[in-house]
Amino acid sequence: MSSRIMVPPPRKPAMTPQRARHLALIARIREQQQAAGLHPDDVRCGRPLSDGTRLCKSRPLPGLAGCARHLDDEEWQDTVDYPRAYFRDALGGCCPMTVEQQVEQTLRAAEPPACHSWPYPRAVPVPDEDSLELLVSWQAGRCAGCGHPFHEDVMVDHCHESGLVRGLLCGLCNNAEGTAPPRHPRWFRYRILPPTLILGVDLPYSKTLRTRLTQVLASSQDSTTP
């Protein structure tokens, strides 16, 4: 025998000045996108990069016109003032997180990236040493963000403005870094001091580098397999 549990409907959030500004901002951006005939999946940030010749192709944050790296002052202040209600209003649903999960997420976000606690291999890299092989051997199959071993495809994190590789991340950390605001406690420190800067190497991001990375990872796994 089963009994039906009646769950009370969720309470409507209070209409604070911050939430009113959110709703007005989301409505204005959605009207602009609909007037331009854009589907939500086709919307891109489109804001100019630092070189002034290219436009950002990242997806904007829900309900905003720009990605996390190209927010203007008004949008940035909105995401800081009222983040949980902002995503609830923008996505049309609640954020299913308990109080314990929210506290854990806040504490985890305040921790530095894992690569900042790894020992430095040397003060200056050897000139004839391959930069990609040095990066792979130093990270040793670990994500530079969380420090956990890679269980799926390795993501090559790179700066979209400079085109240089920053390090190797797991899928979760790569998504978190891509959507984190510029002043995020963990990812701000990661962007300031990424693994490639720790090692003193320059790796331009390209399809050729990704192909070589697959080969280097395969060879490193073969060498460690007994």
Side-chain angles (χ1 to χ4, degrees), residues 171-204:
L172 292 176
C173 285
N174 186 63
N175 292 334
E177 190 281 327
T179 58
R183 298 175 182 84
H184 190 278
R186 165 180 282 191
W187 298 114
F188 174 77
R189 286 183 278 185
Y190 168 81
R191 295 164 189 154
I192 293 297
L193 189 62
T196 51
L197 186 59
I198 293 175
L199 298 174
V201 298
D202 289 335
L203 284 172

Side-chain angles (χ1 to χ4, degrees), residues 26 30 62 84-95:
I26 293 172
R30 285 180 176 172
R84 201 155 298 281
Y86 157 71
F87 281 109
R88 179 183 58 223
D89 292 332
L91 299 176
C94 296
C95 297

Side-chain angles (χ1 to χ4, degrees), residues 110-175:
E111 296 178 353
C115 61
H116 286 187
S117 61
W118 298 344
Y120 285 34
R122 61 178 63 90
V124 179
V126 179
D128 296 335
E129 189 169 7
D130 185 86
S131 300
L132 184 59
E133 292 181 358
L134 177 61
L135 177 64
V136 171
S137 62
W138 185 65
Q139 292 205 203
R142 302 167 296 179
C143 171
C146 62
H148 295 159
F150 293 116
H151 297 292
E152 297 180 355
D153 294 339
V154 181
M155 309 300 294
V156 183
D157 175 54
H158 65 285
C159 178
H160 290 265
E161 296 185 359
S162 65
L164 296 177
V165 174
R166 286 190 290 229
L168 306 179
L169 298 175
C170 65
L172 292 176
C173 285
N174 186 63
N175 292 334

